[in-house]
Short mmCIF file of all heavy atoms in Angstrom, two decimals:
data_model
loop_
_atom_site.label_atom_id
_atom_site.label_comp_id
_atom_site.label_asym_id
_atom_site.label_seq_id
_atom_site.Cartn_x
_atom_site.Cartn_y
_atom_site.Cartn_z
N GLY A 482 -113.95 25.76 -158.09
CA GLY A 482 -112.65 25.21 -158.44
C GLY A 482 -112.74 24.15 -159.53
O GLY A 482 -111.74 23.82 -160.18
N TYR A 483 -113.94 23.60 -159.68
CA TYR A 483 -114.16 22.55 -160.68
C TYR A 483 -114.39 23.14 -162.08
O TYR A 483 -114.39 22.42 -163.07
CB TYR A 483 -115.36 21.71 -160.23
CG TYR A 483 -115.57 20.40 -160.97
CD1 TYR A 483 -114.61 19.38 -160.92
CD2 TYR A 483 -116.72 20.17 -161.69
CE1 TYR A 483 -114.81 18.19 -161.58
CE2 TYR A 483 -116.94 18.97 -162.37
CZ TYR A 483 -115.97 17.98 -162.31
OH TYR A 483 -116.17 16.79 -162.97
N LEU A 484 -114.60 24.46 -162.14
CA LEU A 484 -114.78 25.12 -163.45
C LEU A 484 -113.47 25.14 -164.21
O LEU A 484 -112.40 25.35 -163.64
CB LEU A 484 -115.23 26.57 -163.23
CG LEU A 484 -116.64 26.78 -162.68
CD1 LEU A 484 -116.81 28.24 -162.26
CD2 LEU A 484 -117.69 26.39 -163.72
N LYS A 485 -113.55 24.99 -165.52
CA LYS A 485 -112.33 25.06 -166.32
C LYS A 485 -111.66 26.42 -166.19
O LYS A 485 -110.42 26.52 -166.13
CB LYS A 485 -112.65 24.76 -167.79
CG LYS A 485 -111.38 24.63 -168.64
CD LYS A 485 -111.70 24.27 -170.08
CE LYS A 485 -110.47 24.43 -170.95
NZ LYS A 485 -109.44 23.42 -170.66
N VAL A 486 -112.47 27.48 -166.11
CA VAL A 486 -111.89 28.83 -166.02
C VAL A 486 -111.16 29.09 -164.70
O VAL A 486 -110.47 30.09 -164.57
CB VAL A 486 -112.96 29.93 -166.23
CG1 VAL A 486 -113.38 29.99 -167.69
CG2 VAL A 486 -114.15 29.71 -165.31
N ALA A 487 -111.29 28.18 -163.73
CA ALA A 487 -110.50 28.32 -162.50
C ALA A 487 -109.03 27.97 -162.77
O ALA A 487 -108.14 28.40 -162.05
CB ALA A 487 -111.05 27.40 -161.41
N ASN A 488 -108.82 27.17 -163.79
CA ASN A 488 -107.49 26.73 -164.25
C ASN A 488 -106.81 25.74 -163.32
O ASN A 488 -105.69 25.30 -163.60
CB ASN A 488 -106.56 27.93 -164.51
CG ASN A 488 -105.45 27.56 -165.49
OD1 ASN A 488 -105.60 26.63 -166.28
ND2 ASN A 488 -104.33 28.26 -165.42
N ILE A 489 -107.44 25.37 -162.22
CA ILE A 489 -106.80 24.41 -161.32
C ILE A 489 -106.73 23.04 -161.99
O ILE A 489 -105.72 22.33 -161.90
CB ILE A 489 -107.56 24.31 -159.98
CG1 ILE A 489 -107.55 25.68 -159.28
CG2 ILE A 489 -106.94 23.25 -159.08
CD1 ILE A 489 -108.39 25.72 -158.01
N GLY A 490 -107.79 22.68 -162.69
CA GLY A 490 -107.83 21.38 -163.36
C GLY A 490 -106.72 21.22 -164.37
O GLY A 490 -106.04 20.18 -164.41
N ASP A 491 -106.49 22.24 -165.18
CA ASP A 491 -105.45 22.13 -166.20
C ASP A 491 -104.06 22.14 -165.58
O ASP A 491 -103.17 21.40 -166.03
CB ASP A 491 -105.57 23.26 -167.23
CG ASP A 491 -106.71 23.01 -168.21
OD1 ASP A 491 -107.21 21.87 -168.25
OD2 ASP A 491 -107.11 23.94 -168.93
N ILE A 492 -103.85 22.96 -164.57
CA ILE A 492 -102.54 22.96 -163.90
C ILE A 492 -102.28 21.55 -163.34
O ILE A 492 -101.21 20.99 -163.50
CB ILE A 492 -102.48 24.01 -162.76
CG1 ILE A 492 -102.60 25.42 -163.33
CG2 ILE A 492 -101.17 23.87 -161.97
CD1 ILE A 492 -102.66 26.52 -162.27
N ARG A 493 -103.30 21.00 -162.72
CA ARG A 493 -103.18 19.67 -162.15
C ARG A 493 -102.88 18.61 -163.21
O ARG A 493 -101.95 17.82 -163.07
CB ARG A 493 -104.47 19.30 -161.41
CG ARG A 493 -104.35 18.04 -160.62
CD ARG A 493 -105.66 17.48 -160.18
NE ARG A 493 -105.41 16.26 -159.45
CZ ARG A 493 -104.99 15.14 -160.01
NH1 ARG A 493 -104.80 15.07 -161.31
NH2 ARG A 493 -104.74 14.08 -159.28
N SER A 494 -103.68 18.59 -164.26
CA SER A 494 -103.53 17.56 -165.29
C SER A 494 -102.16 17.64 -165.98
O SER A 494 -101.60 16.61 -166.34
CB SER A 494 -104.62 17.71 -166.35
OG SER A 494 -105.87 17.43 -165.78
N ASN A 495 -101.66 18.84 -166.16
CA ASN A 495 -100.36 18.99 -166.81
C ASN A 495 -99.21 18.68 -165.85
O ASN A 495 -98.12 18.29 -166.28
CB ASN A 495 -100.21 20.39 -167.40
CG ASN A 495 -101.16 20.60 -168.57
OD1 ASN A 495 -101.46 19.67 -169.31
ND2 ASN A 495 -101.67 21.81 -168.71
N HIS A 496 -99.46 18.86 -164.56
CA HIS A 496 -98.43 18.53 -163.58
C HIS A 496 -98.38 17.02 -163.31
O HIS A 496 -97.31 16.46 -163.03
CB HIS A 496 -98.70 19.28 -162.26
CG HIS A 496 -97.78 18.85 -161.16
ND1 HIS A 496 -96.47 19.24 -161.09
CD2 HIS A 496 -97.96 18.02 -160.10
CE1 HIS A 496 -95.89 18.69 -160.04
NE2 HIS A 496 -96.77 17.94 -159.42
N GLU A 497 -99.54 16.41 -163.39
CA GLU A 497 -99.70 14.99 -163.03
C GLU A 497 -98.58 14.04 -163.51
O GLU A 497 -98.08 13.23 -162.73
CB GLU A 497 -101.08 14.54 -163.54
CG GLU A 497 -101.29 13.06 -163.69
CD GLU A 497 -101.97 12.43 -162.49
OE1 GLU A 497 -102.95 13.00 -162.01
OE2 GLU A 497 -101.49 11.38 -162.04
N PRO A 498 -98.16 14.09 -164.79
CA PRO A 498 -97.17 13.09 -165.22
C PRO A 498 -95.80 13.26 -164.58
O PRO A 498 -94.99 12.33 -164.66
CB PRO A 498 -97.10 13.30 -166.74
CG PRO A 498 -97.53 14.70 -166.96
CD PRO A 498 -98.58 14.97 -165.91
N THR A 499 -95.52 14.39 -163.95
CA THR A 499 -94.18 14.58 -163.36
C THR A 499 -93.89 13.56 -162.27
O THR A 499 -92.73 13.30 -161.97
CB THR A 499 -94.01 15.99 -162.76
OG1 THR A 499 -94.94 16.15 -161.68
CG2 THR A 499 -94.24 17.07 -163.80
N VAL A 500 -94.92 12.99 -161.65
CA VAL A 500 -94.64 11.98 -160.61
C VAL A 500 -94.23 10.65 -161.24
O VAL A 500 -93.79 9.75 -160.55
CB VAL A 500 -95.83 11.78 -159.63
CG1 VAL A 500 -96.26 13.11 -159.03
CG2 VAL A 500 -97.01 11.10 -160.31
N THR A 501 -94.43 10.54 -162.54
CA THR A 501 -94.10 9.30 -163.25
C THR A 501 -92.84 9.45 -164.11
O THR A 501 -91.98 8.58 -164.10
CB THR A 501 -95.29 8.87 -164.15
OG1 THR A 501 -96.41 8.60 -163.32
CG2 THR A 501 -94.94 7.64 -164.96
N TYR A 502 -92.76 10.53 -164.87
CA TYR A 502 -91.64 10.59 -165.83
C TYR A 502 -90.33 11.02 -165.20
O TYR A 502 -90.29 11.44 -164.08
CB TYR A 502 -92.01 11.37 -167.10
CG TYR A 502 -92.36 12.83 -167.04
CD1 TYR A 502 -91.62 13.77 -166.34
CD2 TYR A 502 -93.44 13.30 -167.82
CE1 TYR A 502 -91.94 15.12 -166.39
CE2 TYR A 502 -93.76 14.65 -167.86
CZ TYR A 502 -93.00 15.55 -167.14
OH TYR A 502 -93.32 16.86 -167.18
N GLU A 503 -89.26 10.83 -165.96
CA GLU A 503 -87.89 11.03 -165.45
C GLU A 503 -87.66 10.21 -164.18
O GLU A 503 -87.01 10.67 -163.25
CB GLU A 503 -87.60 12.51 -165.18
CG GLU A 503 -87.40 13.35 -166.41
CD GLU A 503 -86.06 13.07 -167.09
OE1 GLU A 503 -85.03 12.89 -166.42
OE2 GLU A 503 -86.07 13.01 -168.32
N GLY A 504 -88.20 9.01 -164.17
CA GLY A 504 -88.06 8.14 -163.00
C GLY A 504 -89.33 8.18 -162.17
O GLY A 504 -89.62 9.18 -161.53
N ASP A 505 -90.10 7.08 -162.19
CA ASP A 505 -91.28 6.99 -161.34
C ASP A 505 -90.86 7.27 -159.90
O ASP A 505 -89.86 6.74 -159.40
CB ASP A 505 -91.85 5.57 -161.45
CG ASP A 505 -92.96 5.35 -160.44
OD1 ASP A 505 -94.11 5.70 -160.75
OD2 ASP A 505 -92.67 4.86 -159.33
N ASN A 506 -91.63 8.11 -159.22
CA ASN A 506 -91.23 8.55 -157.89
C ASN A 506 -90.88 7.41 -156.93
O ASN A 506 -89.91 7.49 -156.19
CB ASN A 506 -92.33 9.40 -157.26
CG ASN A 506 -92.34 10.82 -157.82
OD1 ASN A 506 -91.49 11.17 -158.66
ND2 ASN A 506 -93.27 11.64 -157.37
N ASN A 507 -91.70 6.36 -156.96
CA ASN A 507 -91.44 5.25 -156.03
C ASN A 507 -90.15 4.51 -156.37
O ASN A 507 -89.48 4.00 -155.47
CB ASN A 507 -92.61 4.25 -156.06
CG ASN A 507 -93.77 4.74 -155.22
OD1 ASN A 507 -93.65 4.86 -154.01
ND2 ASN A 507 -94.89 5.04 -155.86
N VAL A 508 -89.85 4.44 -157.65
CA VAL A 508 -88.64 3.73 -158.06
C VAL A 508 -87.41 4.63 -157.88
O VAL A 508 -86.38 4.21 -157.35
CB VAL A 508 -88.77 3.26 -159.53
CG1 VAL A 508 -87.50 2.55 -159.98
CG2 VAL A 508 -89.99 2.36 -159.70
N LEU A 509 -87.56 5.87 -158.31
CA LEU A 509 -86.44 6.81 -158.28
C LEU A 509 -85.90 6.98 -156.85
O LEU A 509 -84.68 7.00 -156.63
CB LEU A 509 -86.88 8.16 -158.84
CG LEU A 509 -85.82 9.24 -158.95
CD1 LEU A 509 -84.68 8.81 -159.87
CD2 LEU A 509 -86.43 10.55 -159.44
N SER A 510 -86.80 7.09 -155.89
CA SER A 510 -86.35 7.38 -154.53
C SER A 510 -85.56 6.21 -153.93
O SER A 510 -84.85 6.38 -152.94
CB SER A 510 -87.52 7.77 -153.64
OG SER A 510 -88.50 6.76 -153.66
N GLN A 511 -85.65 5.05 -154.56
CA GLN A 511 -84.82 3.92 -154.08
C GLN A 511 -83.33 4.23 -154.24
O GLN A 511 -82.51 3.75 -153.48
CB GLN A 511 -85.20 2.64 -154.84
CG GLN A 511 -86.62 2.21 -154.54
CD GLN A 511 -87.01 0.92 -155.25
OE1 GLN A 511 -86.16 0.16 -155.69
NE2 GLN A 511 -88.31 0.66 -155.34
N GLN A 512 -83.00 5.04 -155.25
CA GLN A 512 -81.60 5.46 -155.45
C GLN A 512 -81.09 6.19 -154.22
O GLN A 512 -79.94 6.03 -153.82
CB GLN A 512 -81.51 6.39 -156.67
CG GLN A 512 -81.97 5.77 -157.98
CD GLN A 512 -80.89 4.94 -158.64
OE1 GLN A 512 -79.71 5.26 -158.54
NE2 GLN A 512 -81.28 3.86 -159.27
N THR A 513 -81.94 7.02 -153.64
CA THR A 513 -81.55 7.77 -152.45
C THR A 513 -81.29 6.82 -151.29
O THR A 513 -80.32 6.98 -150.55
CB THR A 513 -82.67 8.76 -152.07
OG1 THR A 513 -83.00 9.53 -153.22
CG2 THR A 513 -82.23 9.67 -150.94
N GLY A 514 -82.18 5.84 -151.15
CA GLY A 514 -82.02 4.87 -150.07
C GLY A 514 -80.71 4.11 -150.18
O GLY A 514 -80.01 3.91 -149.18
N ASN A 515 -80.36 3.72 -151.40
CA ASN A 515 -79.07 3.04 -151.61
C ASN A 515 -77.92 3.86 -151.03
O ASN A 515 -77.07 3.35 -150.32
CB ASN A 515 -78.79 2.89 -153.11
CG ASN A 515 -79.63 1.81 -153.75
OD1 ASN A 515 -80.19 0.98 -153.06
ND2 ASN A 515 -79.73 1.84 -155.06
N TRP A 516 -77.93 5.13 -151.38
CA TRP A 516 -76.83 6.01 -150.98
C TRP A 516 -76.83 6.21 -149.46
O TRP A 516 -75.79 6.13 -148.81
CB TRP A 516 -76.96 7.35 -151.71
CG TRP A 516 -75.82 8.28 -151.45
CD1 TRP A 516 -74.60 8.26 -152.04
CD2 TRP A 516 -75.80 9.37 -150.52
NE1 TRP A 516 -73.81 9.27 -151.55
CE2 TRP A 516 -74.52 9.96 -150.61
CE3 TRP A 516 -76.73 9.89 -149.62
CZ2 TRP A 516 -74.16 11.07 -149.83
CZ3 TRP A 516 -76.36 10.99 -148.85
CH2 TRP A 516 -75.09 11.56 -148.95
N LEU A 517 -78.01 6.43 -148.90
CA LEU A 517 -78.09 6.66 -147.45
C LEU A 517 -77.61 5.44 -146.67
O LEU A 517 -76.86 5.56 -145.70
CB LEU A 517 -79.52 7.01 -147.04
CG LEU A 517 -80.02 8.41 -147.40
CD1 LEU A 517 -81.52 8.53 -147.12
CD2 LEU A 517 -79.26 9.49 -146.63
N LEU A 518 -78.03 4.26 -147.12
CA LEU A 518 -77.62 3.05 -146.41
C LEU A 518 -76.12 2.80 -146.54
O LEU A 518 -75.49 2.30 -145.60
CB LEU A 518 -78.42 1.84 -146.89
CG LEU A 518 -79.62 1.53 -145.97
CD1 LEU A 518 -80.59 2.69 -145.91
CD2 LEU A 518 -80.33 0.26 -146.37
N LYS A 519 -75.59 3.18 -147.68
CA LYS A 519 -74.13 3.05 -147.87
C LYS A 519 -73.40 3.95 -146.87
O LYS A 519 -72.39 3.55 -146.27
CB LYS A 519 -73.79 3.45 -149.31
CG LYS A 519 -72.51 2.83 -149.84
CD LYS A 519 -72.32 3.20 -151.31
CE LYS A 519 -70.89 3.62 -151.55
NZ LYS A 519 -70.71 4.39 -152.78
N GLN A 520 -73.91 5.15 -146.68
CA GLN A 520 -73.27 6.08 -145.73
C GLN A 520 -73.39 5.54 -144.30
O GLN A 520 -72.46 5.63 -143.50
CB GLN A 520 -73.91 7.47 -145.81
CG GLN A 520 -73.91 8.09 -147.20
CD GLN A 520 -72.57 7.98 -147.90
OE1 GLN A 520 -71.52 8.24 -147.31
NE2 GLN A 520 -72.60 7.58 -149.16
N TYR A 521 -74.54 4.97 -144.02
CA TYR A 521 -74.76 4.42 -142.67
C TYR A 521 -73.79 3.26 -142.42
O TYR A 521 -73.24 3.13 -141.32
CB TYR A 521 -76.21 3.97 -142.53
CG TYR A 521 -76.54 3.30 -141.22
CD1 TYR A 521 -76.44 4.01 -140.01
CD2 TYR A 521 -76.96 1.98 -141.18
CE1 TYR A 521 -76.75 3.39 -138.81
CE2 TYR A 521 -77.28 1.36 -139.98
CZ TYR A 521 -77.17 2.07 -138.80
OH TYR A 521 -77.48 1.46 -137.61
#
Side-chain angles (χ1 to χ4, degrees):
Chain A
Y483 193 63
L484 291 168
K485 188 177 168 69
V486 287
N488 203 24
I489 299 175
D491 284 346
I492 295 175
R493 189 194 179 290
S494 294
N495 292 327
H496 173 75
E497 161 96 46
T499 63
V500 306
T501 297
Y502 63 46
E503 286 288 320
D505 172 85
N506 282 358
N507 280 296
V508 179
L509 183 61
S510 56
Q511 295 182 18
Q512 300 277 326
T513 308
N515 285 343
W516 185 80
L517 286 172
L518 263 61
K519 204 175 135 199
Q520 305 313 315
Y521 176 64

